[in-house]
Amino acid sequence: MRRGRARGGLVGAAALCVLIAAAAQADAAVEEAPPAASYRMAPDAQELNGSENTADAPLLKPGAHTYKDSVTPGQRKYYAVRLDARSSAYVSAVAAPAPGSSMGARDGISVSLEAQDGTQCGVGHHRTFLSAGGAYPVADYAERVTATGGACKAAGTYRFVVERGDAAGGDTAAVPVELKYVSTPADPVSAGDPGGDRTARTAPAPGGGGVGVQGGGVRGGSGFNDAAEIRPGVWTDELRPGETHFYRVPVGAGQQLAADARFGTDQDAGSTPYVIAGVRMGLSNAARGYVMNRTGGYQGKPADLSLTTPAAAAGDGVGGDAARGMRLAGWYYLQVSLNPKVGQGKPSRVPVTLTVDVGKAREETRAPAGSMRPTSAVAGRHRDRRLRAVGYAGVTTGSLLLLGLGGWTLAARRGEE
């Protein structure tokens, strides 16, 4: 019996040593983890200095041209754009603070389009850096949509205005800004691929998926220019604290996009502080316009975020940000972010599972413009696929637990012999 107890003690000591060594290796991995990647601008982006007065505004050209500048707190910059009398125009700005930056609560960018006499073309838009502990890249455009009438219908030279907010209480460093001007026909049914993402990467499509369904491991890009292309299916990635990954998804006219992001790990809640707005999922349209944004708390345990859009190019864009953002068909950009404060609990990486579905919205069940309720067949398929993914994960986890318990039981019985 004494020999059995001795052997049991040795087994327990050896197991304890293995656990301690694994914990030490995990801590070392955390310390050696590289910093979160910064937003990657277009490799051929032209440097431009926006004017701080209306007289000397540099010209932005439509199409494949991309420009880069920077803006400091409280600064207003002007750029010139030439509009014809027939096309719709979308002039966008992407502001990308350094990952982990702590920005002021009111900091962000405002974008607007105005005539030479100062008359504003429609409504301006303001986007904050969502800095509750860490800033994320934000983007939106100012538009002149000919199909809806309104101001600035005449051909001529107009001004695109970018203004940064108050940085009080946050980082006052200049923030890089990427600018792009997209012009489309008056009928906005299809914007094609206005992003001109020549560096975008296509995610692999491993076998075994259903018809028209893909999935697998994917590495998201750092911005619009290198966003990883994904299709309907279940995709897995990893995020470091302070990081944002971009994915592009094709959405045709009349189609809806539904997405769910599950941020994983099963750490003890006591080891990781609860972070308000610890996780985020955002969506931008084919011209880098804002569609919607979702945030949630995170404490080292699985957390879910979901979104469902109205149908693309299905109306006049009236009915809120989501309806306005879904005016175009083309590439839509999903973004998932992890707050840098999550790193205080020392998880070097957090696994993320993206479940994406795109499909035709049924006319009889289509939600009103701007509604987020998943009333279509697309949302139903998305929910079923998400439940299957969760079920598979549960089976895998349960099998591993049973194997682990069986191993400990066998070791204990041998120790008693």
Side-chain angles (χ1 to χ4, degrees), residues 57-285:
L59 181 66
L60 302 180
K61 296 180 180 179
H65 306 278
T66 306
Y67 304 89
K68 58 184 178 182
D69 199 351
S70 63
V71 62
T72 56
Q75 189 175 35
R76 176 181 294 184
K77 288 195 171 184
Y78 296 90
Y79 309 88
V81 292
R82 293 182 183 139
L83 308 183
D84 61 31
R86 301 176 303 279
S87 304
S88 293
Y90 305 88
V91 192
S92 65
V94 182
S101 299
S102 182
M103 315 299 286
R106 293 179 294 177
D107 204 354
I109 59 165
S110 297
V111 293
S112 59
L113 194 63
E114 64 182 35
Q116 291 291 337
D117 62 0
T119 301
Q120 190 160 301
C121 307
V123 179
H125 304 283
H126 176 74
R127 301 298 168 202
T128 68
F129 289 127
L130 305 170
S131 64
Y136 309 124
V138 297
D140 207 349
Y141 56 53
E143 71 265 49
R144 193 282 301 269
V145 183
T146 53
T148 59
C152 305
K153 292 184 291 183
T157 300
Y158 294 80
R159 291 190 295 263
F160 177 57
V161 187
V162 178
E163 184 174 7
R164 183 168 164 192
D166 182 359
D171 193 339
T172 60
V175 169
V177 176
E178 188 173 50
L179 307 165
K180 196 166 187 65
Y181 170 16
V182 173
S183 180
T184 69
D187 180 4
V189 168
S190 178
D193 184 6
D197 310 34
R198 290 184 292 277
T199 61
R201 293 164 290 118
T202 301
V211 177
V213 175
Q214 301 181 17
V218 62
R219 178 67 177 173
S222 66
F224 290 96
N225 302 291
D226 62 349
E229 180 182 332
I230 59 176
R231 303 280 171 161
V234 181
W235 304 89
T236 58
D237 199 354
E238 290 183 325
L239 282 176
R240 293 190 291 267
E243 200 163 47
T244 295
H245 282 185
F246 283 68
Y247 315 85
R248 63 176 193 163
V249 184
V251 181
Q255 291 186 323
Q256 288 179 286
L257 184 151
D260 177 87
R262 163 156 284 206
F263 299 80
T265 76
D266 289 312
Q267 298 182 57
D268 180 3
S271 66
T272 301
Y274 180 82
V275 180
I276 299 175
V279 293
R280 165 191 174 251
M281 178 166 59
L283 181 67
S284 298
N285 69 14

Side-chain angles (χ1 to χ4, degrees), residues 267-345:
Q267 298 182 57
D268 180 3
S271 66
T272 301
Y274 180 82
V275 180
I276 299 175
V279 293
R280 165 191 174 251
M281 178 166 59
L283 181 67
S284 298
N285 69 14
R288 304 184 176 186
Y290 176 90
V291 180
M292 62 181 68
N293 190 72
R294 299 284 183 266
T295 60
Y298 185 74
Q299 196 177 17
K301 291 185 175 182
D304 295 308
L305 296 174
S306 299
L307 59 81
T308 302
T309 73
D316 57 8
V318 176
D321 283 332
R324 163 186 172 261
M326 297 302 294
R327 182 184 286 124
L328 302 172
W331 292 110
Y332 277 69
Y333 296 85
L334 277 169
Q335 305 131 43
V336 293
S337 305
L338 189 65
N339 195 303
K341 282 190 173 181
V342 172
Q344 295 175 6

